[in-house]
Each structure stands twice: as C-alpha cells, then as structure tokens.
Amino acid sequence: MILNSSDIKNNQILNADICLIGSGPAILTLLEHLNIKKLKIILIPGGKFHYDKKNQKLYKGILAKNVNHEPLINNRHREFGGSGNYWGGRCVPFDEIDFKKRKWIKHSGWPLKLRDLSSYYNKASRYLKISKYNNNTNFYIKGLNPMIKNLDDKKLTSKKLESWSPVLNFKKKLKKKIFSENIILINNSHLIKIDANDKKVNNILCKVQDKKFNVLSKKYVLGCGGIENPRILLYSKNNYHPRGLGNAANLVGRFYMAHHSGISLNLNPKDRKNIFYNYFKDSKGGAYLRNRLWFRENFQKKNKVGNSIFFLNYTLNSKDMGAQGKLFEMLILYKKIISNKKNLCNFNIISKLISGLCNIHNLKYFIKFIFFRLKKNRLPSLLPGELSKYFGLYYQIEHTPCYYSRLTLDKKKDAFGVNMIKLNLKFNKVDLKTIFKTHSYLMDKMNTLKIVDFQKNYTSDKLLRMLKKKIKKFNSNAHHIGTTRMSFLKKYGVVDKNLKVFGINNLFIVGSSTFPTSSHANPTYTIVALSIKLSDYLNKFFMKKNKKN
C-alpha cells in the first residue's frame, strides 16, 4: 500500500510491528525476506520513486580541509531503490581472513566468522540470481583455468571469482512487494530524528512534504547507507544519549572506509592464447563470472599487509590498446549520448561516433556489444580483445579501519534543518604498504618468468611515487563502509553480531556501515547476506512473540 502526502495528517501517529528506514539494497532485501503476512510494516524510503533534485540535495556534505574524496552528494541516490538502481551487479564474498583479528591491522576482526555467513551467501546467490557460493573459489566452477599461465603460486592465485548479478535495479525487482496490504510505504517521506530513552526507541519523527508525523513500532531497522546512518544517529542525541544513539564509546561515524582502486600499469601478456581474463558464463544459471588475482592469507601474514585483488582491464588511455582503442572511444561516446539526451544534438559527439562506425570491424563489435548489453542477463562490460596492444592492470585493495577517518556533524544544515555531515578521510600506513608490496610482487614475478612486457619500467622509488599519487585521487566508488561498526562489545562498536544497536533493544542497523573491515570485495553481496541474516533473526523474534500471545 502506498500513501502520499495527501493521505497523511499533520502530527499523525502511525503504528507498526517493524519500521524500515531507507529503501536501498539492504532494506529491500530485508523486506523481501521478512514473513510479512503476519507483520505490519511501515517503510520510510527517504525519497520518491524517481530522481528528484530537491531530495538529492539532502545528501550534500562537507569535506574537511585537504581531504581528497569526491563530493558527498555524488555516488549516492536519494530515491526509492537508492544506489541499488544504479548498481553494476558485481558480487564478491569476503574471505576468511577478513573476519579474523589480524595483529598487524589495528581494529580488525568481526564478531562473526565466515562460516556464520556461508549459508546466507548461498541465499544471497539465489536472490541475486548468480552462481552458487563456494568457499575455495568464491563461486563454484568445474575445471577453472588460471588467468595467466605459470603466474599462480603458493602466495598468489587467480582462481578466485567474481559473479555478476542480472538484478541491476532493486526498485523494479521489489516494487510489486509494496502493494501488499500489510506494507505501508509513505512516498517521499524522510526520517528526521529518532527519539529514544535509555533502553529503546520510543518513536521516530518523519516528514512528508510540509507535514510531520511519528511512527511507533516494536522494531526499527535503519538502512540509509554508510554516510547517512551515522548522521541520523548523531543528530538524534538527547539527555539519555548526549553523544548520539549508539555512541557511548564515541565510535559512531569513525572508521570510515571504502577501497583503494584503479588502473595502475599497462602490460602486454606474451602468450595471448593462454590468458583467461574475460567474462565467461556459469553453465547452470547463465551468470557471468571473471577471474581475479588474489594474494593468499600466507602472503598477507608474512608481509603484514591488507587484503587485495587484481585483474586485467582496459587501459586508461584508449590509444594504449592500439586499434582496439577506437572501439572503446566509440563506447564512451555512446554512453555520453544515452546518459544525456542533449548530446543527441552535439555535432562533435555524433560526428565522431559516425566516423568510428564507418569502420566495419568497429561496427561489428559495437553491434555485438550492444546486443549483449541489452539482454536480460547483460554482459557486464567490454574488455580488451586478445589483439589489444596493452591491457590495464586493475587493483582493488583494502582500506583498513582508521580511528581518525571520521564523519561528524557540521554546523551547516539541510532543507529539513538537519546538520550536514562532514568527512575527514584518513588512511593507515599499512594501506600504502599493501598497495606497494602487492604491485612489487606481481611485477617481479612477471618479469622473472618473462610472461609480460610492461609499457613502462618502474624502479621501486618510481613505483612508490606513482602509487602515492593514485591514493591522492581517492574515490569511494559508492563503497561507504564501517561508520556504525559491528563488535562483540559495546566499547569497541555500535552494533552487535545481530546488528542491534548496543543499549537500544529495538533498533537495528543494516548495510556496509556495520562492516568492521572493508576487505577488497565490493560490499553489496555481503550487505544482502547480512540483510537475509537479520530477516531470520526478526522472523524468529515475532514467531516466538506470536506463540506467546
């Protein structure tokens, strides 16, 4: 059931069993797996069913002085479905080492182990329509080939896979669900503040257009993302919680993480017939997969570094791919046109695209790519072909938890009068060490085996300088992690292993803000797994309650 502003009275009080706050992948996955027939659910989406410029401005934030990070309004989407409407589909589970306490990485360790999430990863796979989870290779595939012949060893493996989901728009997937009679979605409603006493949430204050209303619920789940979740908790401070909800240990907003990522080097594999880098399909479900180079646990322990992966990709400069670069230039022009209709009238863009399509070879591959992109289970992206002059080496590396990497409330306020969020981004020394050590090992191994030629020769000093510059061009890529971290104890975290806020019996938080560490993995697959885990917890709670009644 959908209610609009006209259906809500000013200062109205609504009652529910569960109140879900937010409408991104975390909340919508939870909604899908709750036993909704027996529960009355109210959903506060934080936006409309489509993009709205006024709503998007509510995500404006402040960057502290000398912070290298994209504007906080970017890479977030204040609408029903959230960033899940723009998700690329990449799914990667966390590794066993990510859950462990690592002596060389301060503040590492989860209150869960990988085995606690394994069954939920499998449920997440079914929900996202991807390959079955596997502890050894991430996703089970028989007879897997290495990425580059002879490169794998006891420290490095390319038999760790990523799987790509065809569920690229959570709004479309779950829009039908909200028409259930016992689900009330209040369109374009926004949470303003949570009112809590010393033990539980009493109610939440919300707005829709110019009207205020309150929701009284037995349980509340906050799932507004890694930047907005701490903002809400901090703004909801009162006499019982003078620092903000869940913030007795002064940890809400701390440990902000994303990933270090980008294309660092160009390389030319010598044996082109024995490189296995492109997307391939799961024979059972038809999901796309791809190999990734992963530094094993023994390498991480010995070198005292974080977690990391690498894979072969396109080059930053399309000219470095030779003739194939022209095809990539055409696709960039095509993306400019479909992302902004005004470019249909841009003579420069249209003429360049037509000129490129006059080449029969380019036209053939362009049509083929568009065909596979338009399919329901679409091709994730175009990768260089075997004839490409160079390949780009892409890395994605753990941003380790740093106590001083922090989100706080600024004095400036948004249209609702809520303080804007301010980011002071920080990194630990181990981050640069990880990036440097992993790159150095790969380059030394490839040079020793003479299996690739690098476009540029790097001494250790030159490599280090280049990687330092990369860190200064940091972009979160919508991976906002760690700001309401999970822990065994209240003094080390904000939520417990069941995602319940310490000291508040009826408030839960879901999403990557609860991750104690970031791994190298894109967060969505683990977000979905934890949301399904929370749905089991809440279903059991209400089942027991119904039996007593």
Side-chain angles (χ1 to χ4, degrees):
M1 184 190 306
I2 299 174
L3 298 183
N4 294 303
S5 174
S6 58
D7 301 311
I8 301 293
K9 295 176 182 177
N10 195 33
N11 297 319
Q12 186 173 349
I13 296 173
L14 301 170
N15 292 281
D17 291 309
I18 300 177
C19 179
L20 303 179
I21 304 154
S23 60
I27 290 292
L28 294 184
T29 298
L30 180 63
L31 181 64
E32 176 74 8
H33 291 85
L34 286 171
N35 190 354
I36 62 168
K37 291 180 181 178
K38 298 177 181 178
L39 299 173
K40 183 179 178 182
I41 298 171
I42 290 178
L43 180 60
I44 308 297
K48 299 179 180 179
F49 284 97
H50 54 81
Y51 172 82
D52 180 88
K53 192 174 182 179
K54 189 177 176 181
N55 283 340
Q56 187 63 22
K57 282 184 178 180
L58 296 169
Y59 272 163
K60 282 185 75 174
I62 311 294
L63 297 178
K65 191 177 179 180
N66 298 323
V67 164
N68 294 297
H69 189 285
E70 77 274 16
L72 297 182
I73 197 171
N74 294 358
N75 286 329
R76 298 196 290 160
H77 303 274
R78 189 124 179 176
E79 61 187 78
F80 180 77
S83 298
N85 298 338
Y86 306 89
W87 181 43
R90 179 185 282 140
C91 295
V92 188
F94 275 41
D95 302 305
E96 192 168 0
I97 192 172
D98 293 316
F99 298 90
K100 294 179 179 179
K101 175 69 179 174
R102 291 167 279 173
K103 292 179 181 178
W104 63 96
I105 295 179
K106 200 174 180 182
H107 306 294
S108 61
W110 288 49
L112 299 171
K113 294 182 178 178
L114 178 58
R115 64 172 177 264
D116 298 321
L117 272 189
S118 295
S119 64
Y120 294 105
Y121 274 141
N122 268 321
K123 289 178 181 179
S125 286
R126 289 194 291 272
Y127 176 62
L128 295 170
K129 299 179 181 178
I130 59 171
S131 308
K132 186 178 179 181
Y133 169 73
N134 179 272
N135 189 39
N136 295 318
T137 59
N138 292 345
F139 302 100
Y140 179 72
I141 292 292
K142 208 171 183 178
L144 189 61
N145 294 316
M147 186 187 294
I148 300 176
K149 191 176 179 180
N150 298 325
L151 186 60
D152 288 22
D153 58 23
K154 291 180 179 179
K155 297 176 182 177
L156 180 69
T157 178
S158 62
K159 294 186 178 182
K160 281 277 194 177
L161 302 172
E162 61 186 24
S163 187
W164 290 76
S165 172
V167 181
L168 300 175
N169 190 307
F170 278 74
K171 175 170 63 180
K172 289 181 181 178
K173 180 176 174 65
L174 286 159
K175 198 170 180 180
K176 290 180 182 178
K177 192 84 174 179
I178 61 176
F179 288 100
S180 302
E181 286 185 9
N182 55 325
I183 295 175
I184 297 174
L185 181 145
I186 303 169
N187 185 28
N188 199 28
S189 61
H190 304 263
L191 170 66
I192 304 300
K193 196 170 188 177
I194 301 172
D195 176 38
N197 60 31
D198 59 335
K199 292 182 180 178
K200 67 172 189 174
V201 173
N202 297 318
N203 65 80
I204 61 170
L205 173 65
C206 304
K207 269 193 173 184
V208 55
Q209 302 289 42
D210 57 346
K211 297 175 184 176
K212 293 180 181 179
F213 66 94
N214 296 85
V215 178
L216 277 66
S217 184
K218 292 168 186 172
K219 300 288 182 187
Y220 300 83
V221 183
L222 180 63
C224 299
I227 295 174
E228 198 68 7
N229 283 346
R231 182 189 182 199
I232 291 165
L233 296 179
L234 292 170
Y235 185 71
S236 299
K237 67 181 180 180
N238 57 25
N239 291 334
Y240 295 105
H241 307 276
R243 288 176 168 174
L245 302 189
N247 201 27
N250 196 23
L251 296 176
V252 171
R254 291 192 184 272
F255 305 106
Y256 174 82
M257 297 171 280
H259 292 107
H260 300 282
S261 61
I263 296 166
S264 53
L265 304 167
N266 289 344
L267 54 87
N268 169 23
K270 292 183 179 179
D271 185 1
R272 295 296 178 95
K273 291 182 180 179
N274 286 303
I275 56 172
F276 195 71
Y277 68 95
N278 219 326
Y279 300 110
F280 61 96
K281 277 194 171 185
D282 181 340
S283 59
K284 291 185 178 180
Y288 281 101
L289 299 111
R290 177 168 58 170
N291 293 55
R292 298 150 68 94
L293 287 162
W294 176 65
F295 280 91
R296 300 177 191 267
E297 190 169 324
N298 62 349
F299 179 91
Q300 295 179 48
K301 284 181 178 178
K302 184 178 178 181
N303 291 279
K304 293 182 171 54
V305 295
N307 211 345
S308 59
I309 60 94
F310 293 78
F311 54 79
L312 297 183
N313 209 355
Y314 53 81
T315 61
L316 286 175
N317 188 336
S318 59
K319 291 179 181 178
D320 293 329
M321 289 182 281
Q324 288 217 331
K326 291 289 182 184
L327 179 59
F328 279 80
E329 288 174 13
M330 285 165 49
L331 290 172
I332 291 168
L333 294 170
Y334 171 71
K335 284 182 179 179
K336 284 182 179 179
I337 292 168
I338 61 172
S339 63
N340 188 345
K341 291 178 181 178
K342 289 182 180 179
N343 286 328
L344 282 168
C345 301
N346 187 314
F347 177 78
N348 188 39
I349 290 175
I350 296 298
S351 61
K352 283 183 179 179
L353 183 60
I354 292 170
S355 175
L357 291 173
C358 288
N359 181 297
I360 295 174
H361 178 78
N362 285 346
L363 180 62
K364 174 185 167 184
Y365 277 93
F366 185 79
I367 292 170
K368 185 179 178 181
F369 174 74
I370 299 301
F371 171 75
F372 282 110
R373 284 289 282 183
L374 292 176
K375 293 184 78 173
K376 189 176 180 180
N377 193 1
R378 72 176 194 178
L379 182 71
S381 66
L382 182 69
L383 295 176
E386 286 185 17
L387 298 177
S388 179
K389 187 176 180 181
Y390 287 103
F391 292 82
L393 183 67
Y394 187 95
Y395 65 92
Q396 188 153 300
I397 286 170
E398 181 176 9
H399 177 183
T400 58
C402 177
Y403 181 81
Y404 301 102
S405 186
R406 188 182 186 189
L407 290 163
T408 56
L409 294 181
D410 192 72
K411 290 180 182 179
K412 291 182 180 179
K413 297 184 178 183
D414 67 14
F416 287 138
V418 177
N419 296 77
M420 290 184 181
I421 203 77
K422 183 177 182 178
L423 172 62
N424 191 12
L425 178 68
K426 298 289 183 182
F427 305 117
N428 294 314
K429 290 180 181 178
V430 70
D431 293 16
L432 179 59
K433 182 182 178 183
T434 302
I435 299 170
F436 178 70
K437 287 275 186 181
T438 50
H439 273 84
S440 296
Y441 184 88
L442 267 179
M443 293 175 73
D444 289 345
K445 181 89 187 279
M446 289 174 171
N447 283 327
T448 301
L449 294 173
K450 297 180 180 179
I451 53 178
V452 306
D453 288 325
F454 289 98
Q455 187 181 30
K456 294 180 181 178
N457 292 318
Y458 284 94
T459 62
S460 290
D461 288 342
K462 282 184 179 179
L463 177 65
L464 187 61
R465 284 198 297 272
M466 183 268 287
L467 294 174
K468 280 182 177 179
K469 287 180 181 178
K470 288 281 183 184
I471 287 179
K472 288 180 180 179
K473 295 178 181 179
F474 189 84
N475 189 295
S476 73
N477 291 313
H479 303 168
H480 310 130
I481 300 169
T483 51
T484 63
R485 65 189 344 244
M486 194 191 311
S487 180
F488 284 108
L489 300 171
K490 183 179 182 177
K491 64 179 179 179
Y492 299 126
V494 179
V495 300
D496 64 18
K497 66 178 182 179
N498 294 314
L499 305 182
K500 185 183 75 64
V501 175
F502 284 113
I504 303 178
N505 296 330
N506 60 345
L507 178 60
F508 298 80
I509 300 176
V510 70
S512 55
S513 69
T514 66
F515 297 5
T517 53
S518 67
S519 180
H520 57 70
N522 293 46
T524 304
Y525 188 50
T526 302
I527 289 172
V528 169
L530 284 171
S531 292
I532 298 171
K533 183 176 182 293
L534 178 57
S535 73
D536 277 2
Y537 180 89
L538 291 172
N539 284 333
K540 286 174 185 175
F541 170 83
F542 282 101
M543 195 181 296
K544 285 180 182 178
K545 191 163 187 176
N546 289 337
K547 282 182 180 179
K548 286 180 182 179
N549 295 335

